[in-house]
Amino acid sequence: MNQPTIMAKKINSQSSIPASKVQRAAKFVKTGVKVGKNYVKHYAKKVVDPSISKENLHAENAEDIYDSLSELKGSALKVAQMMSMDKNVLPQAYSDKFQMAQYSAPPLSYPLVVKTFRKAFGKTPTDIFETFSKDAVNAASIGQVHKAEKGGKTFAVKVQYPGVAESVKSDLKMVKPFAVRIAGLNEKDVDLYMEEVQNMLLSETDYKLELNRSMDLSEKVLKEVKNVKFPNYYPKYSSDRVLTMDWMNGSHLGEFLNSNPSQEIRNQLGQALWDFYDYQIHVLHEVHADPHPGNFFMENDGILGIIDFGCVKVIPKVFYDNYFVLIDGSLLEEKEKLRKALFKLNFLHVDDSESEMDELQGVLLKMLELLGRPFREDEFDFGNDDYFQEIYDLGEESSKVKALRHSKKPRGAKDGLYLNRTYFGLYNILNQLKANIKTTSPLKERQVLA
Amino acid sequence: MEKFIKKIKKNYLSYISLHKKRPKSVLLFAESINMEQKEFYQYFKNFETIDKNIWLDIIKITIEKVKAESVYPEYAVREKILSFYFTLIEELKTHRAFALLSFSDNFLGINLSFQFLDDFKREFNDYAKELIEEGQATEEIIDRPIVSKVYKDALWGQTFFILRFWINDFSKEFEKTDAAIEKVTNLSFDLLGHNPIDGAFDFGKFLLQNIKFPFLSDFDFSMKNKKEKGGEKSTS
């Protein structure tokens, strides 16, 4: 029902990015604003003519998003693909528009679910569980979720579509020429991003890996982070194509906000979310890289339920050091040091002209100051819409920068793709929650030590 | 007698899965399983009849297994046939070498009529008829004038497509065949059930009956004229 709101979040979630691939952020921010405008237009029209359907709106949004994407480099295609893969989040019009980058799958028939179970366990779903929903209750990006019961417990059973792994590869191959053309990048550069995307998408198709990661990460996180909870996972009811976990209660973001939670509860949930990411990124160096609202369950007592460790980004040490040095405020003053970091992150290239470098660094500096701001303060109010407006405005402004628009080179390290996406999601959810967060960062501790 | 037939088929299949080809001659084959050639001919005319018989076995076992599933009676016709295909592919998996051989003979142009599937097809048609009748009773399948008669053939065409798809499928655990089964069956049942073509047809019929198109009335007129003329001739 509230699909459009979820979708709006998804789009907006692309708008708050810290550091390195700033020009991409800028583009998404701009798109976010356009989409916002479309919504306003839509509802204004709707007052006059109640029969206008959401499809119009979605088609208009898809148009704008698509246009923006087509001006972007490399990673944009990945995002397009991801966006279109998240069928549960994106309405039809978006999916249609992104067909080229899409693996589309109608729901699995129950006989195929039975077959998958037979292959994995030698038994049918109803042999294993007391009840098992014949129809899927939910669509995951590459599979579907069934609800099952046994011994008084309720389970969520995720079943994967057949042939997804293969289709990921061929889909990406299909997207590549398209990417090369619309992004104006050369093939080698596109490959750099494609490889990262392919590896991540393929790892998502391995439910055994997901099972192990889920159990491992949730155990580690539970020890250190307050107010979060995870489902139990059941290896004996899981295989490479089936994943069984506890059924999670609680509501998703949109629904949760409709119940008018208190500021205190919203802060508590936001803090749990911040701490969850902070601990993974800075301590574990492995992060749940799919922060879309569907993966979080919010309970009225401020406990955050978290699922889906299918998409986990392992952050290489070298990249980590170069990436997070950018949020250090002192760096903003030191032009040479910053430039060095930007070279390492593949944002600047040796063959860039001096004026290009200056222009790029100028934009980036502004972005870094803005997006890194939460890290440099002890407490940050993500509910502050002025802050997000500032980001939008800067996005608009920097999208006009020549050096970015006419760049034929990829800007930004491939390892940043998923980390940026993670921060997109995090900032956005915190904004929706209007949460006031006690921000932490490894730099603060370092400063204290020094 | 049943015992000998079984013995022949079992040894024949294991010979094929081992050698990827048929035994050189009935004589050699019979000898290898300690049987008189004469005895062999009592049961089978030649290797081709064994092939037909094995294919028939495969579909019979499949239908039996599918119907034995506890959830089968609850299935809609679409799910029943999906379940049939998935089970069929599972059955075939254990006889992949045999199936490949059956089809490869035909692909080489030796025999393009796929005769080895004759009995298989007859059995399938019976099953399809049963499903179509059930589907028409529940209106999952729409009874349409003229077209209804070819439903059975369409389903056979689909089955044949799936078989050939599987023969050429080298994906891991035949995942692509699973996907193909889902897609082709969904499509065919979308067509067999209520679909926009029905609406279009209905509308077209309505137009023809209710709107006078100039060229159509001309056409009617001339037909009428001819008939009348014809009539006149015969009376005169």
Side-chain angles (χ1 to χ4, degrees):
Chain A
M1 222 214 97
N2 47 15
Q3 215 177 16
T5 44
I6 293 175
M7 180 224 52
K9 271 160 222 154
K10 177 82 180 178
I11 307 305
N12 279 335
S13 76
Q14 314 293 358
S15 355
S16 34
I17 179 187
S20 80
K21 270 198 310 303
V22 176
Q23 90 284 15
R24 286 181 184 81
K27 205 69 223 180
F28 280 118
V29 167
K30 206 172 133 193
T31 310
V33 172
K34 274 194 183 164
V35 170
K37 277 186 203 154
N38 288 344
Y39 269 91
V40 174
K41 253 178 16 201
H42 171 74
Y43 285 111
K45 272 191 214 158
K46 189 139 179 134
V47 172
V48 186
D49 179 8
S51 69
I52 287 177
S53 86
K54 282 259 158 54
E55 300 308 316
N56 284 338
L57 171 69
H58 295 328
E60 246 179 282
N61 284 347
E63 203 72 53
D64 281 340
I65 294 169
Y66 184 81
D67 287 344
S68 304
L69 285 173
S70 56
E71 288 171 36
L72 279 166
K73 315 281 175 218
S75 67
L77 267 299
K78 176 226 73 186
V79 180
Q81 210 242 7
M82 274 176 189
M83 289 170 74
S84 57
M85 273 185 75
D86 281 352
K87 285 205 96 168
N88 48 336
V89 179
L90 283 171
Q92 198 54 42
Y94 294 82
S95 302
D96 288 351
K97 193 77 193 180
F98 297 127
Q99 265 176 27
M100 286 191 75
Q102 183 191 20
Y103 170 80
S104 83
L108 243 74
S109 70
Y110 188 62
L112 188 50
V113 174
V114 172
K115 179 181 177 170
T116 309
F117 260 71
R118 278 235 176 85
K119 237 187 230 169
F121 314 111
K123 288 176 184 171
T124 65
T126 40
D127 289 340
I128 294 177
F129 299 101
E130 285 156 16
T131 66
F132 190 91
S133 65
K134 237 175 92 186
D135 295 317
V137 291
N138 214 334
S141 50
I142 53 168
Q144 61 190 28
V145 180
H146 292 259
K147 193 174 186 175
E149 286 168 326
K150 185 185 185 164
K153 270 189 172 178
T154 313
F155 301 91
V157 184
K158 200 158 81 159
V159 184
Q160 193 178 111
Y161 301 129
V164 170
E166 288 217 20
S167 104
V168 163
K169 280 189 212 160
S170 57
D171 277 3
L172 284 180
K173 247 182 238 148
M174 202 167 70
V175 176
K176 210 171 97 175
F178 175 68
V180 170
R181 203 181 67 231
I182 69 161
L185 286 170
N186 66 47
E187 232 180 289
K188 226 177 84 200
D189 297 327
V190 174
D191 280 345
L192 190 76
Y193 297 120
M194 285 291 185
E195 194 189 292
E196 172 82 353
V197 177
Q198 179 166 322
N199 290 341
M200 290 295 278
L201 289 175
L202 283 180
S203 78
E204 279 183 68
T205 64
D206 184 349
Y207 280 3
K208 270 189 186 146
L209 180 70
E210 182 173 345
L211 176 84
N212 292 333
R213 277 178 167 167
S214 303
M215 295 201 297
D216 177 52
L217 284 174
S218 55
E219 194 194 321
K220 285 178 186 161
V221 170
L222 264 185
K223 277 187 205 150
E224 301 293 330
V225 181
K226 271 191 282 180
N227 299 326
V228 292
K229 71 173 206 179
F230 302 92
N232 290 308
Y233 290 85
Y234 299 89
K236 69 174 165 173
Y237 305 139
S238 302
S239 75
D240 53 346
R241 295 263 305 277
V242 180
L243 186 63
T244 302
M245 68 193 91
D246 289 330
W247 184 264
M248 297 290 273
N249 292 313
S251 43
H252 292 314
L253 185 60
E255 208 182 316
F256 175 76
L257 290 174
N258 285 340
S259 69
N260 282 323
S262 69
Q263 183 65 48
E264 198 190 340
I265 292 292
R266 281 189 276 125
N267 286 348
Q268 187 180 321
L269 281 165
Q271 193 68 49
L273 194 66
W274 177 275
D275 293 346
F276 170 64
Y277 280 106
D278 187 71
Y279 181 68
Q280 289 178 96
I281 293 171
H282 300 301
V283 181
L284 300 177
H285 296 296
E286 270 179 81
V287 62
H288 177 290
D290 192 10
H292 87 77
N295 288 336
F296 301 103
F297 297 87
M298 303 186 172
E299 293 179 10
N300 292 331
D301 55 358
I303 302 292
L304 181 73
I306 302 166
I307 57 161
D308 202 346
F309 286 93
C311 179
V312 170
K313 173 66 190 162
V314 178
I315 307 166
K317 177 88 175 76
V318 179
F319 172 74
Y320 176 87
D321 290 342
N322 287 319
Y323 188 87
F324 282 99
V325 81
L326 294 178
I327 58 171
D328 183 352
S330 66
L331 198 73
L332 303 180
E333 318 288 310
E334 297 174 57
K335 199 178 158 192
E336 279 315 302
K337 235 169 121 188
L338 176 62
R339 182 158 291 190
K340 241 164 105 185
L342 294 181
F343 271 116
K344 281 185 186 152
L345 283 171
N346 207 22
F347 190 83
L348 293 179
H349 301 272
V350 271
D351 52 353
D352 287 333
S353 72
E354 194 62 36
S355 67
E356 268 179 326
M357 279 194 212
D358 281 342
E359 199 178 4
L360 286 167
Q361 193 164 339
V363 184
L364 200 70
L365 205 64
K366 281 189 202 160
M367 273 287 174
L368 285 175
E369 190 284 315
L370 196 55
L371 295 165
R373 203 183 287 167
F375 290 93
R376 288 188 299 274
E377 286 172 25
D378 292 334
E379 222 176 296
F380 194 81
D381 180 14
F382 280 91
N384 179 2
D385 285 334
D386 290 345
Y387 174 65
F388 284 87
Q389 190 55 49
E390 248 182 279
I391 299 181
Y392 295 155
D393 291 344
L394 185 56
E396 191 88 13
E397 187 187 317
S398 58
S399 69
K400 290 175 192 134
V401 173
K402 261 196 203 145
L404 279 177
R405 271 177 52 200
H406 301 302
S407 174
K408 294 266 180 231
K409 280 167 273 182
R411 308 227 172 246
K414 73 177 168 70
D415 289 301
L417 279 180
Y418 280 82
L419 203 54
N420 292 344
R421 179 182 183 230
T422 304
Y423 277 108
F424 278 146
L426 175 64
Y427 274 35
N428 180 252
I429 295 176
L430 292 175
N431 177 235
Q432 302 281 330
L433 272 173
K434 306 233 170 298
N436 209 335
I437 301 294
K438 291 194 179 66
T439 56
T440 43
S441 99
L443 295 169
K444 282 177 195 162
E445 281 146 43
R446 244 178 266 163
Q447 279 164 354
V448 171
L449 285 176
Chain B
M1 179 182 158
E2 197 56 34
K3 210 178 86 189
F4 285 111
I5 293 179
K6 259 194 180 159
K7 186 182 169 187
I8 291 171
K9 283 194 279 195
K10 200 181 143 220
N11 283 290
Y12 179 72
L13 278 172
S14 53
Y15 184 94
I16 288 176
S17 65
L18 202 65
H19 298 92
K20 314 283 177 225
K21 61 180 185 199
R22 294 195 178 76
K24 274 216 175 96
S25 69
V26 171
L27 179 69
L28 287 174
F29 176 65
E31 271 176 1
S32 76
I33 58 170
N34 302 318
M35 214 181 229
E36 294 273 333
Q37 196 180 351
K38 205 171 59 188
E39 219 175 336
F40 177 92
Y41 285 120
Q42 259 182 295
Y43 306 113
F44 294 105
K45 261 199 322 214
N46 46 31
F47 290 142
E48 281 70 43
T49 42
I50 308 185
D51 285 4
K52 273 191 198 175
N53 204 270
I54 291 171
W55 279 98
L56 180 64
D57 285 350
I58 289 170
I59 190 170
K60 276 188 169 167
I61 294 170
T62 301
I63 294 174
E64 205 175 293
K65 279 193 179 170
V66 169
K67 288 189 174 171
E69 272 181 51
S70 59
V71 63
Y72 186 79
E74 294 169 30
Y75 278 160
V77 175
R78 182 192 296 238
E79 290 167 320
K80 281 180 178 162
I81 198 142
L82 279 168
S83 184
F84 165 81
Y85 287 136
F86 290 132
T87 314
L88 177 65
I89 297 300
E90 283 305 298
E91 277 310 306
L92 280 172
K93 261 192 214 168
T94 47
H95 304 305
R96 174 105 172 144
F98 166 74
L100 286 177
L101 189 66
S102 295
F103 273 88
S104 69
D105 282 355
N106 284 279
F107 285 152
L108 289 175
I110 297 166
N111 173 6
L112 276 170
S113 59
F114 299 95
Q115 274 170 1
F116 62 92
L117 285 175
D118 283 355
D119 296 341
F120 179 97
K121 183 179 172 183
R122 201 174 319 116
E123 191 73 18
F124 176 81
N125 281 345
D126 288 345
Y127 181 58
K129 200 173 148 230
E130 189 183 315
L131 290 181
I132 290 166
E133 275 166 12
E134 185 188 330
Q136 285 175 338
T138 59
E139 291 192 2
E140 191 182 346
I141 296 172
I142 303 302
D143 197 358
R144 300 180 178 91
I146 307 162
V147 211
S148 283
K149 282 183 196 136
V150 300
Y151 284 174
K152 206 176 59 194
D153 302 324
L155 284 182
W156 170 249
Q158 170 178 329
T159 309
F160 191 68
F161 163 80
I162 289 168
L163 284 174
R164 300 235 340 220
F165 192 95
W166 175 75
I167 290 290
N168 293 308
D169 184 5
F170 292 96
S171 62
K172 184 182 147 221
E173 297 197 61
F174 307 114
E175 280 190 344
K176 282 192 176 166
T177 302
D178 286 352
I181 290 172
E182 292 257 310
K183 287 181 202 309
V184 71
T185 308
N186 278 335
L187 173 65
S188 64
F189 271 76
D190 286 349
L191 292 173
L192 290 175
H194 262 300
N195 67 50
I197 300 166
D198 288 322
F201 187 75
D202 193 44
F203 180 59
K205 208 170 104 187
F206 173 81
L207 285 185
L208 276 174
Q209 287 168 343
N210 292 290
I211 295 182
K212 298 263 180 282
F213 293 105
F215 68 91
L216 279 176
S217 48
D218 280 356
F219 184 71
D220 276 350
F221 185 67
S222 63
M223 285 293 282
K224 221 170 149 189
N225 258 359
K226 260 182 198 164
K227 240 185 179 174
E228 277 168 4
K229 272 180 192 165
E232 277 166 16
K233 259 182 193 168
S234 66
T235 45
S236 65

